[in-house]
Coordinates of all heavy atoms in Angstrom, one line a residue:
T1 N 3.3 12.1 -3.0 CA 3.6 12.8 -4.3 C 4.8 13.7 -4.2 O 5.1 14.3 -5.2 CB 2.3 13.6 -4.6 OG1 2.0 14.5 -3.6 CG2 1.1 12.7 -5.0
G2 N 5.4 13.8 -3.0 CA 6.6 14.6 -2.8 C 7.6 13.9 -2.0 O 8.4 13.2 -2.4
D3 N 7.5 14.2 -0.7 CA 8.5 13.6 0.3 C 7.7 12.8 1.3 O 6.5 12.7 1.3 CB 9.3 14.7 1.0 CG 8.5 15.7 1.8 OD1 7.7 15.2 2.6 OD2 8.5 16.9 1.5
Q4 N 8.5 12.1 2.2 CA 7.9 11.2 3.1 C 7.5 11.8 4.4 O 7.2 11.2 5.4 CB 8.8 10.0 3.4 CG 8.9 9.0 2.2 CD 9.8 7.8 2.6 OE1 10.7 7.9 3.3 NE2 9.4 6.7 2.1
L5 N 7.6 13.2 4.5 CA 7.4 13.8 5.8 C 6.1 14.6 5.8 O 5.4 14.6 6.8 CB 8.5 14.8 6.1 CG 9.9 14.2 6.3 CD1 10.9 15.2 6.5 CD2 9.8 13.2 7.5
K6 N 5.7 15.3 4.7 CA 4.5 16.1 4.8 C 3.7 16.1 3.5 O 2.8 16.9 3.4 CB 4.9 17.5 5.2 CG 5.9 18.2 4.3 CD 6.3 19.5 4.8 CE 7.4 20.2 4.1 NZ 7.8 19.9 2.8
S7 N 4.0 15.3 2.5 CA 3.3 15.3 1.3 C 2.0 14.5 1.3 O 1.8 13.7 2.2 CB 4.2 14.8 0.2 OG 5.3 15.6 0.0
D8 N 1.2 14.7 0.3 CA 0.0 13.9 0.1 C 0.4 12.5 -0.4 O 1.2 12.4 -1.3 CB -0.9 14.6 -0.9 CG -1.6 15.8 -0.4 OD1 -1.8 15.9 0.8 OD2 -1.9 16.7 -1.2
S9 N -0.2 11.5 0.2 CA -0.1 10.1 -0.3 C -0.9 9.9 -1.5 O -2.0 10.6 -1.6 CB -0.5 9.2 0.8 OG 0.4 9.4 2.0
S10 N -0.5 9.0 -2.4 CA -1.3 8.8 -3.6 C -1.2 7.4 -4.1 O -0.1 6.9 -4.2 CB -0.8 9.8 -4.6 OG -1.4 9.5 -5.9
V11 N -2.3 6.8 -4.4 CA -2.3 5.5 -5.1 C -1.6 5.6 -6.4 O -0.9 4.7 -6.9 CB -3.8 5.0 -5.2 CG1 -3.8 3.8 -6.1 CG2 -4.4 4.7 -3.9
D12 N -1.7 6.8 -7.1 CA -1.1 7.0 -8.4 C 0.4 6.8 -8.4 O 1.0 6.4 -9.3 CB -1.5 8.3 -9.0 CG -3.0 8.4 -9.4 OD1 -3.6 7.3 -9.7 OD2 -3.5 9.5 -9.4
M13 N 1.0 7.1 -7.2 CA 2.5 7.0 -7.2 C 2.9 5.5 -7.2 O 3.9 5.1 -7.8 CB 3.0 7.6 -5.9 CG 3.0 9.2 -6.0 SD 3.9 9.8 -7.4 CE 5.6 9.5 -7.0
Y14 N 2.0 4.6 -6.5 CA 2.3 3.2 -6.6 C 2.2 2.7 -8.1 O 3.0 2.0 -8.6 CB 1.3 2.4 -5.7 CG 1.7 2.5 -4.3 CD1 1.1 3.5 -3.4 CD2 2.6 1.6 -3.7 CE1 1.4 3.6 -2.1 CE2 2.9 1.7 -2.3 CZ 2.3 2.7 -1.5 OH 2.6 2.8 -0.2
K15 N 1.1 3.2 -8.7 CA 0.9 2.9 -10.2 C 2.1 3.3 -11.0 O 2.6 2.6 -11.8 CB -0.3 3.5 -10.7 CG -1.6 2.9 -10.2 CD -2.8 3.5 -10.8 CE -4.1 2.9 -10.3 NZ -5.3 3.6 -11.0
R16 N 2.5 4.5 -10.8 CA 3.6 5.1 -11.5 C 4.9 4.3 -11.4 O 5.5 4.0 -12.4 CB 3.9 6.6 -11.1 CG 4.9 7.3 -11.8 CD 5.0 8.7 -11.4 NE 6.2 9.3 -11.9 CZ 6.8 10.4 -11.5 NH1 6.2 11.1 -10.5 NH2 7.9 10.9 -12.0
V17 N 5.3 4.0 -10.2 CA 6.6 3.2 -10.0 C 6.5 1.8 -10.6 O 7.5 1.3 -11.2 CB 7.1 3.2 -8.6 CG1 7.4 4.6 -8.1 CG2 6.2 2.5 -7.7
L18 N 5.3 1.2 -10.5 CA 5.2 -0.1 -11.1 C 5.2 -0.1 -12.6 O 5.8 -0.9 -13.3 CB 3.9 -0.8 -10.6 CG 3.9 -1.2 -9.1 CD1 2.4 -1.5 -8.7 CD2 4.8 -2.4 -8.9
L19 N 4.6 1.0 -13.2 CA 4.6 1.1 -14.6 C 6.0 1.5 -15.2 O 6.3 1.2 -16.3 CB 3.6 2.2 -15.1 CG 2.1 1.7 -15.0 CD1 1.2 2.9 -15.2 CD2 1.8 0.6 -15.9
M20 N 6.8 2.0 -14.3 CA 8.2 2.3 -14.6 C 9.1 1.1 -14.5 O 10.3 1.2 -14.8 CB 8.8 3.5 -13.7 CG 8.1 4.8 -14.0 SD 8.6 6.1 -12.8 CE 10.3 6.1 -12.9
G21 N 8.6 0.0 -14.0 CA 9.3 -1.2 -14.0 C 9.8 -1.6 -12.6 O 10.5 -2.7 -12.4
C22 N 9.4 -0.9 -11.6 CA 9.8 -1.2 -10.2 C 9.2 -2.6 -9.8 O 8.0 -2.8 -10.1 CB 9.3 -0.1 -9.2 SG 9.7 -0.5 -7.5
R23 N 10.0 -3.4 -9.2 CA 9.5 -4.8 -8.8 C 9.5 -5.0 -7.3 O 9.3 -6.1 -6.8 CB 10.4 -5.9 -9.5 CG 10.5 -5.8 -11.0 CD 9.3 -5.5 -11.8 NE 8.2 -6.4 -11.7 CZ 6.9 -6.1 -12.0 NH1 6.6 -4.9 -12.3 NH2 6.0 -7.0 -11.9
C24 N 9.7 -3.9 -6.5 CA 9.7 -4.1 -5.1 C 9.1 -2.8 -4.5 O 9.6 -1.7 -4.8 CB 11.2 -4.2 -4.6 SG 11.3 -4.5 -2.8
I25 N 8.1 -2.9 -3.7 CA 7.4 -1.8 -3.1 C 7.2 -2.1 -1.6 O 7.1 -3.2 -1.2 CB 6.1 -1.4 -3.7 CG1 5.1 -2.6 -3.7 CG2 6.3 -1.0 -5.2 CD1 3.7 -2.3 -4.1
E26 N 7.2 -1.0 -0.8 CA 6.9 -1.1 0.6 C 5.6 -0.4 0.9 O 5.3 0.7 0.3 CB 8.0 -0.5 1.4 CG 7.7 -0.6 2.9 CD 8.8 0.0 3.7 OE1 9.8 -0.7 4.0 OE2 8.7 1.2 4.1
I27 N 4.7 -1.1 1.7 CA 3.4 -0.5 2.0 C 3.4 -0.5 3.5 O 3.4 -1.5 4.2 CB 2.3 -1.3 1.5 CG1 2.4 -1.5 -0.1 CG2 0.9 -0.7 1.8 CD1 1.4 -2.5 -0.7
D28 N 3.3 0.7 4.1 CA 3.2 0.9 5.6 C 1.7 0.9 6.0 O 1.0 1.7 5.6 CB 3.8 2.3 6.0 CG 5.3 2.4 5.7 OD1 5.9 1.4 5.2 OD2 5.8 3.5 5.9
C29 N 1.4 -0.2 6.7 CA 0.0 -0.5 7.0 C -0.4 -0.1 8.5 O 0.4 -0.5 9.4 CB -0.3 -2.0 6.8 SG 0.1 -2.6 5.1
F30 N -1.5 0.6 8.6 CA -1.9 0.9 10.0 C -3.4 0.7 10.1 O -4.2 0.7 9.1 CB -1.7 2.4 10.2 CG -0.2 2.8 10.2 CD1 0.5 3.1 9.1 CD2 0.5 2.8 11.4 CE1 1.8 3.4 9.1 CE2 1.8 3.1 11.5 CZ 2.5 3.4 10.3
D31 N -3.9 0.5 11.4 CA -5.3 0.4 11.6 C -6.0 1.7 11.1 O -5.6 2.8 11.4 CB -5.6 0.2 13.1 CG -5.3 -1.2 13.6 OD1 -5.1 -2.1 12.8 OD2 -5.2 -1.3 14.8
G32 N -7.1 1.5 10.4 CA -8.0 2.6 10.0 C -9.3 2.5 10.6 O -9.7 1.5 11.3
P33 N -10.1 3.5 10.4 CA -11.5 3.5 11.0 C -12.4 2.5 10.3 O -12.1 2.1 9.2 CB -12.0 4.9 10.7 CG -11.2 5.4 9.6 CD -9.8 4.7 9.7
D34 N -13.3 2.0 11.0 CA -14.3 1.0 10.5 C -13.7 -0.2 9.9 O -14.1 -0.8 8.9 CB -15.2 1.7 9.4 CG -15.9 2.9 9.9 OD1 -16.4 2.9 11.1 OD2 -16.0 3.9 9.2
N35 N -12.6 -0.7 10.6 CA -11.9 -1.9 10.2 C -11.4 -1.9 8.7 O -11.4 -2.9 8.0 CB -12.8 -3.2 10.4 CG -12.0 -4.4 10.6 OD1 -11.0 -4.4 11.3 ND2 -12.6 -5.5 10.2
D36 N -11.0 -0.7 8.3 CA -10.5 -0.5 6.9 C -9.1 0.0 7.0 O -8.8 1.2 7.2 CB -11.5 0.6 6.3 CG -11.3 0.7 4.8 OD1 -10.6 -0.2 4.2 OD2 -12.0 1.5 4.2
P37 N -8.1 -0.9 6.8 CA -6.7 -0.5 7.0 C -6.3 0.7 6.1 O -6.8 0.8 5.0 CB -5.9 -1.8 6.6 CG -6.9 -2.9 6.8 CD -8.3 -2.3 6.5
E38 N -5.3 1.4 6.6 CA -4.8 2.6 5.9 C -3.3 2.5 5.7 O -2.6 1.7 6.3 CB -5.1 3.9 6.7 CG -6.5 4.2 6.9 CD -6.7 5.5 7.6 OE1 -6.0 5.8 8.6 OE2 -7.7 6.2 7.3
V39 N -2.8 3.3 4.7 CA -1.4 3.4 4.4 C -1.0 4.8 4.5 O -1.6 5.7 4.0 CB -1.2 2.9 2.9 CG1 0.2 3.1 2.5 CG2 -1.6 1.5 2.7
Y40 N 0.1 5.0 5.3 CA 0.8 6.3 5.4 C 2.1 6.1 6.0 O 2.5 5.0 6.4 CB -0.1 7.3 6.2 CG -0.4 6.9 7.6 CD1 0.4 7.3 8.7 CD2 -1.5 6.1 7.9 CE1 0.1 6.9 10.0 CE2 -1.8 5.7 9.2 CZ -1.0 6.1 10.3 OH -1.3 5.8 11.6
H41 N 2.9 7.1 6.1 CA 4.3 7.0 6.6 C 4.2 7.4 8.1 O 3.8 8.5 8.4 CB 5.2 8.0 5.8 CG 6.7 7.6 6.0 ND1 7.2 7.3 7.3 CD2 7.7 7.6 5.2 CE1 8.5 7.1 7.1 NE2 8.8 7.3 5.9
K42 N 4.7 6.5 8.9 CA 4.6 6.7 10.4 C 5.4 7.9 10.9 O 6.4 8.2 10.3 CB 5.2 5.4 11.1 CG 5.1 5.4 12.6 CD 5.6 4.1 13.1 CE 5.4 4.0 14.6 NZ 6.0 2.7 15.1
K43 N 4.9 8.6 11.9 CA 5.5 9.7 12.5 C 5.7 10.8 11.4 O 6.8 11.4 11.4 CB 6.7 9.4 13.2 CG 6.5 8.5 14.4 CD 7.7 8.2 15.2 CE 7.4 7.2 16.3 NZ 8.6 6.9 17.1
S44 N 4.8 11.1 10.6 CA 4.9 12.1 9.6 C 3.6 12.8 9.4 O 2.6 12.4 10.0 CB 5.3 11.5 8.3 OG 4.3 10.8 7.7
L45 N 3.5 13.8 8.6 CA 2.3 14.5 8.3 C 1.7 14.1 6.9 O 0.9 14.8 6.4 CB 2.6 16.0 8.3 CG 3.2 16.6 9.6 CD1 3.6 18.0 9.4 CD2 2.2 16.4 10.7
T46 N 2.1 13.0 6.4 CA 1.6 12.5 5.1 C 0.1 12.2 5.3 O -0.4 11.8 6.4 CB 2.3 11.3 4.6 OG1 2.2 10.3 5.5 CG2 3.8 11.6 4.3
S47 N -0.7 12.3 4.2 CA -2.1 11.9 4.2 C -2.2 10.4 4.2 O -1.3 9.7 4.0 CB -2.8 12.6 3.0 OG -2.2 12.1 1.8
H48 N -3.4 10.0 4.6 CA -3.7 8.5 4.7 C -4.5 8.1 3.4 O -5.4 8.8 3.0 CB -4.6 8.3 5.9 CG -3.9 8.6 7.2 ND1 -4.3 8.1 8.4 CD2 -2.9 9.5 7.5 CE1 -3.5 8.6 9.4 NE2 -2.7 9.4 8.8
I49 N -4.2 6.9 2.9 CA -4.9 6.3 1.8 C -5.4 4.9 2.2 O -4.8 4.4 3.2 CB -4.2 6.3 0.5 CG1 -2.8 5.7 0.6 CG2 -4.0 7.8 0.0 CD1 -2.0 5.6 -0.6
K50 N -6.3 4.4 1.6 CA -6.9 3.1 1.9 C -6.0 2.0 1.4 O -5.5 2.0 0.2 CB -8.3 2.9 1.3 CG -9.3 3.9 1.8 CD -9.6 3.7 3.2 CE -10.7 4.7 3.7 NZ -10.9 4.7 5.1
F51 N -5.7 1.0 2.2 CA -4.9 -0.2 1.8 C -5.6 -0.9 0.6 O -4.9 -1.3 -0.4 CB -4.7 -1.2 2.9 CG -4.0 -2.4 2.4 CD1 -2.6 -2.4 2.4 CD2 -4.6 -3.6 2.0 CE1 -1.9 -3.5 2.0 CE2 -3.9 -4.7 1.6 CZ -2.5 -4.6 1.5
K52 N -6.9 -1.0 0.6 CA -7.6 -1.7 -0.5 C -7.4 -1.0 -1.8 O -7.3 -1.6 -2.9 CB -9.1 -1.8 -0.2 CG -9.9 -0.6 -0.1 CD -11.3 -0.8 0.2 CE -12.0 0.5 0.5 NZ -13.4 0.2 1.1
D53 N -7.2 0.3 -1.8 CA -6.9 1.1 -3.1 C -5.5 0.8 -3.5 O -5.3 0.7 -4.7 CB -7.2 2.6 -2.9 CG -8.6 2.9 -2.6 OD1 -9.5 2.1 -2.9 OD2 -8.9 3.9 -1.9
V54 N -4.6 0.7 -2.6 CA -3.2 0.5 -3.0 C -3.0 -0.9 -3.5 O -2.4 -1.1 -4.6 CB -2.2 0.7 -1.7 CG1 -0.8 0.3 -2.1 CG2 -2.3 2.1 -1.3
I55 N -3.6 -1.9 -2.9 CA -3.4 -3.3 -3.4 C -4.2 -3.5 -4.7 O -3.8 -4.2 -5.6 CB -3.8 -4.4 -2.3 CG1 -3.1 -5.7 -2.6 CG2 -5.3 -4.5 -2.1 CD1 -1.6 -5.7 -2.5
G56 N -5.3 -2.7 -4.8 CA -6.0 -2.8 -6.1 C -5.2 -2.2 -7.2 O -5.2 -2.7 -8.4
A57 N -4.4 -1.1 -6.9 CA -3.5 -0.5 -7.9 C -2.4 -1.5 -8.4 O -2.1 -1.6 -9.5 CB -3.0 0.8 -7.4
V58 N -1.9 -2.2 -7.4 CA -0.8 -3.2 -7.7 C -1.4 -4.2 -8.6 O -0.8 -4.6 -9.6 CB -0.3 -3.8 -6.4 CG1 0.6 -5.0 -6.7 CG2 0.4 -2.8 -5.5
A59 N -2.6 -4.7 -8.3 CA -3.2 -5.7 -9.2 C -3.5 -5.2 -10.6 O -3.4 -5.9 -11.6 CB -4.5 -6.3 -8.5
E60 N -3.9 -3.9 -10.6 CA -4.3 -3.3 -11.9 C -3.2 -3.1 -12.8 O -3.3 -3.4 -14.0 CB -5.0 -2.0 -11.6 CG -5.4 -1.2 -12.9 CD -5.9 0.2 -12.5 OE1 -6.3 0.4 -11.4 OE2 -6.0 1.0 -13.5
V61 N -2.0 -2.6 -12.4 CA -0.9 -2.2 -13.3 C 0.4 -3.0 -13.1 O 1.3 -2.9 -13.8 CB -0.6 -0.7 -13.2 CG1 -1.9 0.1 -13.5 CG2 0.0 -0.3 -11.9
G62 N 0.4 -3.8 -12.0 CA 1.7 -4.5 -11.6 C 2.4 -5.3 -12.7 O 3.6 -5.4 -12.7
F63 N 1.6 -5.9 -13.6 CA 2.2 -6.7 -14.6 C 2.0 -6.2 -16.0 O 2.2 -6.9 -17.0 CB 1.7 -8.1 -14.5 CG 2.0 -8.7 -13.1 CD1 1.1 -8.7 -12.1 CD2 3.3 -9.2 -12.9 CE1 1.5 -9.2 -10.8 CE2 3.6 -9.7 -11.6 CZ 2.7 -9.7 -10.6
K64 N 1.7 -4.9 -16.2 CA 1.5 -4.3 -17.5 C 2.8 -4.2 -18.2 O 2.9 -4.3 -19.5 CB 0.8 -3.0 -17.4 CG -0.7 -3.2 -17.2 CD -1.5 -1.9 -17.4 CE -3.0 -2.2 -17.3 NZ -3.8 -1.1 -17.6
T65 N 3.9 -3.9 -17.5 CA 5.2 -3.6 -18.2 C 6.2 -4.7 -17.9 O 7.3 -4.7 -18.5 CB 5.8 -2.2 -17.7 OG1 6.0 -2.3 -16.3 CG2 4.9 -1.1 -18.1
S66 N 6.0 -5.6 -17.0 CA 6.9 -6.6 -16.7 C 6.2 -7.9 -16.2 O 5.3 -7.8 -15.4 CB 7.9 -6.2 -15.6 OG 8.7 -7.2 -15.2
P67 N 6.7 -9.1 -16.7 CA 6.1 -10.3 -16.2 C 6.7 -10.8 -14.9 O 6.3 -11.8 -14.4 CB 6.4 -11.3 -17.4 CG 7.7 -10.8 -17.9 CD 7.6 -9.3 -17.8
Y68 N 7.7 -10.1 -14.4 CA 8.4 -10.6 -13.3 C 7.7 -10.4 -12.0 O 6.9 -9.4 -11.9 CB 9.8 -10.0 -13.2 CG 10.7 -10.4 -14.4 CD1 11.0 -9.4 -15.4 CD2 11.1 -11.7 -14.6 CE1 11.8 -9.8 -16.5 CE2 11.9 -12.1 -15.7 CZ 12.2 -11.1 -16.6 OH 12.9 -11.5 -17.7
P69 N 7.9 -11.2 -11.0 CA 7.2 -11.0 -9.7 C 7.4 -9.6 -9.0 O 8.5 -9.0 -9.3 CB 7.8 -12.1 -8.8 CG 8.5 -13.0 -9.7 CD 8.9 -12.3 -10.9
I70 N 6.5 -9.3 -8.2 CA 6.6 -8.0 -7.4 C 6.8 -8.4 -6.0 O 6.1 -9.2 -5.4 CB 5.3 -7.2 -7.6 CG1 5.1 -6.8 -9.0 CG2 5.4 -5.9 -6.7 CD1 3.7 -6.2 -9.2
I71 N 7.8 -7.9 -5.4 CA 8.1 -8.1 -4.0 C 7.3 -7.0 -3.2 O 7.6 -5.8 -3.4 CB 9.6 -8.1 -3.6 CG1 10.3 -9.2 -4.3 CG2 9.8 -8.1 -2.1 CD1 11.8 -9.1 -4.3
I72 N 6.4 -7.4 -2.4 CA 5.6 -6.4 -1.6 C 6.0 -6.6 -0.1 O 5.7 -7.6 0.5 CB 4.1 -6.7 -1.8 CG1 3.7 -6.6 -3.2 CG2 3.3 -5.7 -0.9 CD1 2.2 -7.0 -3.5
S73 N 6.6 -5.5 0.4 CA 7.0 -5.5 1.8 C 5.9 -4.8 2.6 O 5.7 -3.6 2.3 CB 8.3 -4.8 1.9 OG 8.7 -4.6 3.3
L74 N 5.3 -5.5 3.4 CA 4.2 -4.9 4.2 C 4.8 -4.6 5.6 O 5.2 -5.4 6.4 CB 3.0 -5.9 4.4 CG 2.3 -6.3 3.2 CD1 1.2 -7.3 3.6 CD2 1.7 -5.1 2.5
E75 N 5.0 -3.3 5.8 CA 5.4 -2.8 7.1 C 4.2 -2.7 8.0 O 3.4 -1.8 7.9 CB 6.1 -1.4 7.0 CG 6.7 -1.0 8.3 CD 7.5 0.3 8.2 OE1 8.4 0.4 7.3 OE2 7.2 1.2 8.9
M76 N 4.0 -3.8 8.8 CA 2.7 -4.0 9.5 C 2.7 -3.4 10.9 O 3.5 -3.7 11.8 CB 2.5 -5.5 9.6 CG 1.1 -5.9 10.1 SD -0.2 -5.3 9.0 CE 0.2 -6.2 7.5
H77 N 1.7 -2.4 11.1 CA 1.5 -1.8 12.3 C 0.0 -2.0 12.7 O -0.6 -1.2 13.5 CB 1.7 -0.3 12.2 CG 3.2 0.0 11.8 ND1 4.2 0.0 12.7 CD2 3.7 0.3 10.6 CE1 5.3 0.3 12.1 NE2 5.0 0.5 10.8
C78 N -0.6 -3.0 12.2 CA -2.1 -3.2 12.3 C -2.4 -4.2 13.4 O -1.6 -5.1 13.7 CB -2.7 -3.8 11.1 SG -2.8 -2.6 9.7
S79 N -3.6 -4.1 14.0 CA -4.1 -5.1 14.9 C -4.3 -6.5 14.2 O -4.3 -6.5 13.0 CB -5.4 -4.7 15.5 OG -6.4 -4.6 14.5
H80 N -4.4 -7.5 14.9 CA -4.7 -8.9 14.3 C -5.9 -8.8 13.5 O -5.9 -9.4 12.4 CB -4.8 -10.0 15.4 CG -3.4 -10.3 16.0 ND1 -2.7 -11.3 15.5 CD2 -2.8 -9.7 17.0 CE1 -1.6 -11.4 16.2 NE2 -1.6 -10.4 17.1
R81 N -6.9 -8.1 13.9 CA -8.2 -8.0 13.2 C -8.0 -7.4 11.8 O -8.5 -7.9 10.8 CB -9.2 -7.3 14.0 CG -10.6 -7.2 13.3 CD -11.6 -6.6 14.2 NE -12.9 -6.5 13.5 CZ -13.9 -5.9 14.0 NH1 -13.9 -5.5 15.2 NH2 -15.0 -5.9 13.3
Q82 N -7.2 -6.3 11.8 CA -7.0 -5.6 10.5 C -6.0 -6.3 9.6 O -6.0 -6.2 8.4 CB -6.7 -4.1 10.7 CG -8.0 -3.4 11.2 CD -8.1 -1.9 10.9 OE1 -7.4 -1.4 10.0 NE2 -8.9 -1.3 11.7
Q83 N -5.1 -7.1 10.3 CA -4.2 -7.9 9.5 C -5.0 -9.0 8.7 O -4.6 -9.3 7.6 CB -3.2 -8.6 10.4 CG -2.1 -7.7 11.0 CD -1.1 -8.4 11.9 OE1 -0.8 -9.6 11.6 NE2 -0.7 -7.7 12.9
E84 N -6.0 -9.5 9.3 CA -6.9 -10.4 8.6 C -7.6 -9.8 7.4 O -7.7 -10.3 6.3 CB -8.0 -11.0 9.5 CG -7.5 -12.1 10.4 CD -8.6 -12.7 11.2 OE1 -9.6 -13.1 10.6 OE2 -8.5 -12.9 12.4
V85 N -8.0 -8.5 7.6 CA -8.6 -7.8 6.5 C -7.6 -7.6 5.4 O -7.9 -7.8 4.2 CB -9.1 -6.4 7.0 CG1 -9.6 -5.5 5.8 CG2 -10.2 -6.5 8.0
I86 N -6.4 -7.2 5.7 CA -5.3 -7.1 4.7 C -5.1 -8.4 4.0 O -4.9 -8.4 2.7 CB -4.0 -6.5 5.4 CG1 -4.2 -5.0 5.7 CG2 -2.8 -6.7 4.5 CD1 -3.1 -4.4 6.4
A87 N -5.0 -9.5 4.7 CA -4.8 -10.8 4.0 C -5.9 -11.1 3.1 O -5.6 -11.5 1.9 CB -4.6 -11.9 5.1
N88 N -7.1 -10.9 3.5 CA -8.2 -11.1 2.6 C -8.2 -10.2 1.4 O -8.6 -10.6 0.2 CB -9.5 -11.0 3.3 CG -9.7 -12.2 4.3 OD1 -9.3 -13.3 4.0 ND2 -10.3 -11.9 5.4
L89 N -7.9 -8.9 1.6 CA -7.8 -8.0 0.4 C -6.7 -8.4 -0.6 O -6.9 -8.3 -1.8 CB -7.6 -6.6 0.9 CG -8.7 -5.9 1.6 CD1 -8.2 -4.6 2.4 CD2 -9.8 -5.6 0.7
C90 N -5.6 -8.9 0.0 CA -4.5 -9.4 -0.9 C -4.9 -10.6 -1.7 O -4.6 -10.6 -2.9 CB -3.2 -9.7 -0.1 SG -2.4 -8.3 0.6
I91 N -5.6 -11.5 -1.1 CA -6.0 -12.7 -1.8 C -7.1 -12.3 -2.8 O -7.0 -12.8 -4.0 CB -6.6 -13.7 -0.8 CG1 -5.5 -14.3 0.1 CG2 -7.4 -14.8 -1.5 CD1 -6.0 -15.1 1.3
A92 N -8.0 -11.4 -2.5 CA -9.0 -11.0 -3.5 C -8.4 -10.3 -4.7 O -8.8 -10.5 -5.8 CB -10.0 -10.1 -2.8
A93 N -7.4 -9.4 -4.4 CA -6.8 -8.6 -5.5 C -5.8 -9.4 -6.3 O -5.7 -9.3 -7.5 CB -6.2 -7.4 -4.9
L94 N -5.0 -10.2 -5.7 CA -3.8 -10.9 -6.3 C -4.0 -12.4 -6.5 O -3.2 -13.0 -7.3 CB -2.6 -10.6 -5.5 CG -2.3 -9.1 -5.2 CD1 -1.1 -9.0 -4.2 CD2 -2.0 -8.4 -6.5
G95 N -4.9 -13.0 -5.9 CA -5.2 -14.4 -6.0 C -4.4 -15.2 -5.0 O -3.7 -14.8 -4.2

């Protein structure tokens, strides 16, 4: 919600940029507890949010203002097990 060093992370920021017409987003993915991947900025004090909430937000608002494709860059720092979780969440949310 502010900067990439110490601010709170927010699913609403992903929604906001997509609703403003942004067609390219980066999601920094990390292993989370209980096999539930998280999103945050590496080597920073930002808060952690759930990957499933971020990809759900992309599915919810991604095509409300534009029919054009969205490029999703996954900066992957997850184990193979949580990469599988992320793949399944993407398929479930985006088809």
Side-chain angles (χ1 to χ4, degrees):
T1 57
D3 60 57
Q4 289 185 324
L5 296 177
K6 57 185 173 19
S7 296
D8 289 332
S9 300
S10 171
V11 172
D12 290 334
M13 289 304 289
Y14 285 93
K15 289 181 179 181
R16 181 177 169 195
V17 298
L18 289 167
L19 289 170
M20 290 171 55
C22 177
R23 307 318 295 157
C24 182
I25 60 172
E26 180 178 274
I27 305 173
D28 296 359
C29 307
F30 295 87
D31 285 343
D34 302 318
N35 208 35
D36 196 5
E38 294 182 325
V39 174
Y40 60 94
H41 198 318
K42 186 177 183 180
K43 296 184 182 177
S44 71
L45 301 174
T46 58
S47 59
H48 299 199
I49 54 180
K50 302 289 184 192
F51 178 84
K52 64 182 170 188
D53 295 337
V54 174
I55 203 68
V58 172
E60 179 186 341
V61 303
F63 298 98
K64 285 193 175 186
T65 59
S66 175
Y68 297 111
I70 301 169
I71 298 168
I72 302 172
S73 172
L74 297 177
E75 188 174 304
M76 191 58 63
H77 302 278
C78 292
S79 63
H80 287 265
R81 183 174 178 181
Q82 291 204 23
Q83 287 180 35
E84 282 188 48
V85 172
I86 285 175
N88 289 328
L89 289 168
C90 288
I91 292 167
L94 304 171

